[in-house]
Structures are given as structure tokens and as C-alpha cells.
Amino acid sequence: MEKNKLNGKKIPWWKKTTIYQIYPRSFKDSTGNGIGDLKGIISKLDYIQDLGVETIWFSPFYSSPQGDFGYDISDYLNIAPEYGTMNDFDDLVKNIHNRKMKIVMDLVLNHTSAQHKWFIESKKSRDNPKRNWYVWKDGKKPFGKAPPNNWKSYVTGSGWHYDSHTDQWYWASFLPFQPDLNYRNPDVKENMMEMIRFWLRKGVDGFRLDILGAVYEDPKFRDNPLSWKLIPSDESMDMLFRSSKYTTNYPDNYEFAKDLREVIDEFTDPPRFLLGEVSGSREELRNFCGKDSPDGLNLVFLFESMGAQLTAKNFRKLIKDFEKYFPDPYIPTWVFSNHDIIRRISRFKEQGAIEKAKINTAFQLTVRGVPTIYYGEEIAMRQNFLPLEKSLDAVSFKFKKFPRIIRNLLLKITNYAIHRDGCRTPMQWNRTETAGFSPSRTDTWLPVHPNYKLVNVENSIEDKDSLFYCYQRFLKLRQKTPALNSGNITLLDAKKIPKNILGYTRSAIFNGNEQTVHVYLNFGNKLVSFQIPEPNFHLIISTSISSQPLNGQNITLQPFEGIILGD
């Protein structure tokens, strides 16, 4: 049988991969200006490879005025000078591919920067050739000085912005300086598709697609109806008692996902993939991948996991739900931190946080799906709760006027920080000044977390039972074990194992040979002993290097310990 075949079918690489997200501004500064850059990243590729991940996703480093730190693009075909040059990018691709790894770029299709040459032209006059490249609309009477309708932006407040020069309003789903492109104009769509091909020709292996559900809005510009939701969630962008029916996940977006898939499928050696940042019900998320067959996005983020409480019951339910809506040949994703939300470990109490992070890691890297790890998660980097008053994040500007009691309430009821600086602070490499992030200065673009002398890569590598090595052990095992990186999943009967234990098997027929592994995760804070059905299981891996959990058919798991057994 042909190599690399699972259950008789060849599995595309992106279904088996593990993804590591880098926020380029914060990973490694090679120049001493306090800002991370491409050469700095290249210098640390051996570290990432040694960790055991296979694909690197980069937040944007295109040309940008940096109003939203790269998510406001002024030129899609060039590199922002603070990050490097196109030659540096080519070196990055070459160095990643030389290590048998893949590169994924962040792509913001919904909007550009207001400083993009297209929008500068678009604002000049109503009859400018680029006018219809963006979403412009007359205001309501009297005198057109009220917004065209009641649509809200993702960051609260009207998404319509008045331009006195042309006496019309432009639509921006996110921040005011990020005007939405008009994809109902075929010239816009053609230009953006060709831009995608440009990067694919340069060797990019895939794209993470920013707020894809906002690309198309209702062409009739109808008011969004009433909603009873106050705060947005992973399932809905409704907020402040206003629905997002006509501005998020409008049906044309699902067809657009298929159009994007057709473009990337033009490139087959190797195959490329698309990972969408979308929010909505599970049915809506599935629609982005293809309602009846997987002919849309290859993957979508399933953000429910981010806020999931660390219990066997919660994770069991998530597995069931994700498997229901994303069964093979679809595949779920598992993500717990990113550049927009509070770091996962900071949601755990300090005492026992490392053990909880280890069990979270064991789950993420053994369940069926594609895991995404945010830079620094592997060394237990925590959220740096910086003062809102000094925030650089443009999203935070709306919240600075809120009373502190309201800010604290928002932090408690949502995963999203009221400013995002705290999860974007510089990577902590060692115990030296600036945590080894910058070679020559202390004035880094964001302050390094004060705990950097304790929490850093250097210390993690010196401690053989650190979170870093837990990640590394599970990642390397996942790389070489088809049952883990590609196999089916079967949940064990919850009634036959202790309450705080989550158990499942992963199995596959690989190259004609059957392979099964058994996963047991203790989500409780107490030691648990129980029996397993087979006396001949052997221990493959544990979250703890000192544990001896197996004695015949008896398993004894320490608090927050996870293990994998083999037949």
C-alpha cells in the first residue's frame, strides 16, 4: 500500500499539522529598535522546529501604517519596513521549507487601511474610478447627516463614517480607519484573488483569513433587527441588543469561501489550505467549509474551546459537538489563546497553573483536530495586565472612557480583553534585560512581562519537567503517530470511568496496520485510581516525567495528569 495512507486514503498534510502562531512584532527583534522582525524570526526557527510544531502562522507583516498593528494593510504586495524587506520574506520561506515546515500568512480580505491608495482615490469624488471599490452610501434625511442604517461595527458604535468632502458615508466593520472593500464590484474581487496568487507563487502554504464573515453585507442595506444579547459571543456577533443578521455571515460569504478554495486549489504541489476566522453558530461555521461537502474553507477556528472551563464534562461535550458538525472528511480545530484574547494560563489560578496547562496541552494535542498554539504558551507566558490608559491598541480607545467597574465586568464575562496589548508582549527568551527579545535596548514596543526572569525559554529548557517539555513530548509523539494526527476518535463511556476523568481512543489503519492509542486525562485536583479493561496496555507518555501511573489493569493519575497508553 502507498505510504502515508490512512484507512486507504491519502491524507493532506494540513489535516495532520500543528500550527504555531507568531505575532511578528513581539517574537524577536534583530535590530535593537524594540520591534520584532523577520530576521529575528529566522534566527529562532530552530527553536520552533525543536519544539515539534510543523506549521507557522504569522500575523500580518504587510505594508501598514500600524493603526491596528498590521491588520490595516496599505499595500498587500510589500513588507512593512519595520519588519524587513521582500528579500527577508523570501529567506523566511526558504528557511521554513528547508526545515520541512510550512508557512501560513494572515490575510485581511474584508478591509484595507484608509491609507491604501485605492481608498485615497475612492475618497476624491463620487465619480472616481475607485469609488465603487469600497462601500459608500447616502445618509438618511434630513440632509443626509445621519448614518444610512443602524449597523454597528464589531467594536461597538456605528460602523458608518461620514466624509464631508463627498457628503457620503463609508462602511467599516471594524475600526474607522479600516474601510470595507466592496466585493460586489468584480474588479475588487479579481484584484484580491490575483494578490492571493502572488503569495502562493512565492511559496506560501496557506492563509488564515481575518473576519471573513464580514466580507459581504446585505446589498439592500436593511436595518439589523432587535436582539436580546448584550455581549457578543463565539456563537453570535449580536451585541447591545442589536442583531448582526445583515452584517455578519450573510449567505454570500459562504459562496465567497468556495471561490477562495478554487483559487488555492490551483496550487497542488504541495496542496494549500485556508483557515477562517469566523464567528457564529456551528451550522454557520460548517457552512464556511461547505454545507454538504468540504468545498469551502479547509478549516475554521472553533472558538468555543477558548472559554471552556477545565473540566472533563465540558471537554467531553465539546468533542461531541465538534464531531457532530465536523465529522470526517471535515476536521475541527482546537485553539485556546491568540493575539486577541487573554492568555489561557492567566485564566487559571496561580497555584497549580502549570499542571492545568499541561492537561490542557495533553488534550489539545491528542483530540481529533488541528491544534493552534500561540507563541509563549509553551513556556507559560502570562497575560501582562497593562494599564488601559497607556494602551496602544486602537480597540481600547472606546473603553478608556468607561468606569473601572464596567471594565472589570467586561473582563469577567468575555474572553476578550478590553485591550489586546497584554497578550502581545515580547517573547521571553532568557533572564537578561528585555528577556532576550531585543539585543540592545529596554524600550521595547510593549513592556516585557515583569515575571520574565522566572518565565522564559532558558529556564524552561533547564527544567526537564517544564511545560515546554510537556509540549515537546506530545508534539513529537503526535508527529509520528498516525492514530493521533489523523485517526478517528471514540469517547469512553463516562459512566465507566471516574467523574473527573476524560477518556477516549484514537485509532487508524495506517499502511495496512491497525494502530490504537488510549488517552486518559484527569481534570480533577485529587489523585484518582481506577481499572482499565486490558491488562497488557503500556505507558507511552505522561504529562509528568516522574509519574508511574500504570500497575497492571490499575491506573493511578495524579491531579491534572494526562497519559497515553498503547496496546
Side-chain angles (χ1 to χ4, degrees):
M1 185 177 288
E2 183 182 345
K3 287 186 177 181
N4 201 30
K5 279 199 171 184
L6 183 78
N7 300 335
K9 297 179 180 179
K10 190 169 183 179
I11 304 300
W13 67 268
W14 54 265
K15 277 194 170 185
K16 303 183 294 182
T17 199
T18 50
I19 300 173
Y20 187 87
Q21 181 191 357
I22 286 179
Y23 197 73
R25 203 173 187 85
S26 294
F27 199 64
K28 184 69 174 78
D29 166 23
S30 71
T31 66
N33 68 355
I35 297 173
D37 50 61
L38 299 186
K39 287 184 177 179
I41 293 167
I42 292 170
S43 73
K44 294 297 184 180
L45 288 178
D46 285 343
Y47 164 80
I48 300 170
Q49 183 183 32
D50 189 51
L51 178 62
V53 293
E54 298 150 324
T55 298
I56 308 175
W57 151 34
F58 295 95
S59 289
F61 42 68
Y62 313 93
S63 295
S64 166
Q66 304 298 328
D68 191 21
F69 295 112
Y71 287 91
D72 51 327
I73 299 171
S74 57
D75 185 349
Y76 285 92
L77 303 181
N78 276 303
I79 306 297
E82 55 262 62
Y83 297 131
T85 65
M86 190 62 79
N87 285 337
D88 294 330
F89 172 79
D90 292 337
D91 285 345
L92 178 66
V93 173
K94 180 181 178 181
N95 275 277
I96 288 174
H97 286 166
N98 284 346
R99 290 169 172 79
K100 309 299 182 185
M101 299 167 71
K102 306 290 186 182
I103 175 171
V104 170
M105 289 179 69
D106 217 317
L107 193 54
V108 187
L109 296 174
N110 178 70
H111 53 258
T112 70
S113 164
Q115 296 184 36
H116 195 292
K117 62 183 179 181
W118 296 344
F119 191 68
I120 292 171
E121 284 295 310
S122 184
K123 285 185 70 176
K124 285 183 177 179
S125 67
R126 290 194 180 200
D127 58 359
N128 187 280
K130 289 291 191 290
R131 185 66 169 187
N132 197 36
W133 283 48
Y134 293 85
V135 181
W136 290 93
K137 187 77 173 169
D138 286 334
K140 287 182 178 178
K141 294 180 179 180
F143 311 114
K145 294 301 186 287
N149 58 30
N150 69 357
W151 293 355
K152 301 292 185 185
S153 75
Y154 279 21
V155 292
T156 74
S158 176
W160 291 103
H161 305 281
Y162 182 66
D163 175 53
S164 60
H165 178 64
T166 57
D167 192 29
Q168 276 193 322
W169 299 72
Y170 68 86
W171 169 245
S173 297
F174 205 64
L175 292 163
F177 53 80
Q178 295 166 315
D180 278 33
L181 286 162
N182 175 22
Y183 280 84
R184 300 192 188 282
N185 180 339
D187 290 336
V188 171
K189 191 172 180 180
E190 181 182 345
N191 269 268
M192 296 302 279
M193 295 302 191
E194 191 54 37
M195 176 271 294
I196 290 171
R197 293 185 181 97
F198 170 85
W199 291 109
L200 291 171
R201 293 185 192 107
K202 278 191 159 289
V204 171
D205 297 293
F207 297 98
R208 178 264 189 189
L209 304 171
D210 189 63
I211 60 170
L212 193 70
V215 168
Y216 282 89
E217 56 283 312
D218 176 38
K220 296 180 180 179
F221 296 93
R222 289 169 284 188
D223 279 352
N224 274 325
L226 173 72
S227 169
W228 292 109
K229 288 196 67 175
L230 174 62
I231 301 294
S233 65
D234 300 322
E235 296 81 26
S236 172
M237 290 306 297
D238 294 1
M239 68 174 112
L240 301 175
F241 307 110
R242 185 71 49 76
S243 167
S244 59
K245 178 179 180 180
Y246 294 124
T247 47
T248 302
N249 298 346
Y250 195 77
D252 291 347
N253 288 296
Y254 307 137
E255 292 304 313
F256 184 58
K258 295 181 181 181
D259 295 339
L260 292 168
R261 177 67 173 269
E262 288 182 4
V263 171
I264 67 145
D265 282 350
E266 295 171 10
F267 297 79
T268 58
D269 187 22
R272 317 301 169 92
F273 83 107
L274 299 170
L275 170 56
E277 183 206 26
V278 288
S279 296
S281 66
R282 296 189 190 102
E283 291 88 350
E284 289 173 314
L285 299 181
R286 165 71 175 263
N287 286 342
F288 278 99
C289 296
K291 182 178 181 180
D292 300 315
S293 63
D295 56 356
L297 305 183
N298 306 82
L299 303 166
V300 291
F301 281 122
L302 305 178
F303 290 126
E304 284 182 79
S305 53
M306 286 183 164
Q309 290 188 340
L310 200 68
T311 69
K313 180 180 179 181
N314 286 334
F315 281 130
R316 172 181 288 274
K317 183 178 185 304
L318 278 182
I319 292 173
K320 286 183 176 180
D321 291 342
F322 288 3
E323 288 296 314
K324 177 181 178 181
Y325 288 95
F326 294 89
D328 186 61
Y330 301 89
I331 187 167
T333 57
W334 292 94
V335 56
F336 292 96
S337 294
N338 67 20
H339 61 292
D340 286 331
I341 72 160
I342 294 172
R343 285 184 175 270
R344 178 68 168 171
I345 197 168
S346 291
R347 294 195 168 273
F348 305 148
K349 291 182 179 179
E350 287 273 3
Q351 187 173 3
I354 295 297
E355 286 70 27
K356 291 176 182 177
K358 285 182 178 181
I359 197 73
N360 203 110
T361 301
F363 172 83
Q364 185 184 29
L365 299 181
T366 58
V367 72
R368 191 181 84 91
V370 177
T372 301
I373 300 161
Y374 187 47
Y375 82 95
E377 271 190 287
E378 74 278 11
I379 59 166
M381 272 183 64
R382 301 187 72 87
Q383 186 83 1
N384 195 355
F385 290 100
L386 300 166
L388 182 65
E389 291 74 19
K390 295 182 179 180
S391 171
L392 303 181
D393 179 13
V395 170
S396 73
F397 299 162
K398 287 179 179 274
F399 295 102
K400 289 184 178 181
K401 61 185 178 182
F402 285 23
R404 188 175 298 275
I405 189 172
I406 299 297
R407 300 178 202 166
N408 292 338
L409 177 63
L410 287 170
L411 282 172
K412 288 182 179 180
I413 62 179
T414 177
N415 293 324
Y416 294 83
I418 54 178
H419 74 86
R420 300 169 293 174
D421 294 351
C423 61
R424 301 175 174 183
T425 53
M427 178 69 171
Q428 295 162 211
W429 293 103
N430 57 41
R431 297 181 285 264
T432 64
E433 201 168 24
T434 77
F437 165 74
S438 183
S440 62
R441 60 184 289 169
T442 58
D443 186 19
T444 54
W445 83 279
L446 284 176
V448 175
H449 196 293
N451 71 2
Y452 75 91
K453 289 187 178 180
L454 294 175
V455 178
N456 57 64
V457 171
E458 188 174 70
N459 285 0
S460 295
I461 291 175
E462 290 174 359
D463 177 6
K464 296 305 179 183
D465 202 19
S466 68
L467 180 59
F468 171 86
Y469 283 116
C470 181
Y471 267 97
Q472 187 185 64
R473 291 195 305 276
F474 277 84
L475 282 165
K476 300 243 179 198
L477 178 66
R478 190 182 189 278
Q479 274 186 344
K480 65 184 182 182
T481 309
L484 286 175
N485 64 43
S486 310
N488 301 320
I489 186 168
T490 303
L491 282 165
L492 301 184
D493 188 343
K495 296 178 182 179
K496 296 183 178 180
I497 50 180
K499 177 181 176 181
N500 290 324
I501 302 297
L502 176 62
Y504 45 89
T505 61
R506 299 293 312 280
S507 58
I509 298 175
F510 185 74
N511 291 342
N513 299 313
E514 185 173 2
Q515 182 185 79
T516 300
V517 297
H518 311 267
V519 181
Y520 293 92
L521 307 172
N522 180 10
F523 286 92
N525 59 6
K526 295 180 181 178
L527 184 145
V528 178
S529 295
F530 57 100
Q531 282 195 335
I532 53 175
E534 295 290 337
N536 298 319
F537 286 173
H538 65 277
L539 178 67
I540 298 175
I541 197 172
S542 169
T543 52
S544 172
I545 61 172
S546 59
S547 176
Q548 299 292 329
L550 193 58
N551 182 12
Q553 288 182 254
N554 293 316
I555 289 180
T556 300
L557 294 181
Q558 301 298 318
F560 301 107
E561 181 182 6
I563 62 171
I564 300 178
L565 304 179
D567 293 343

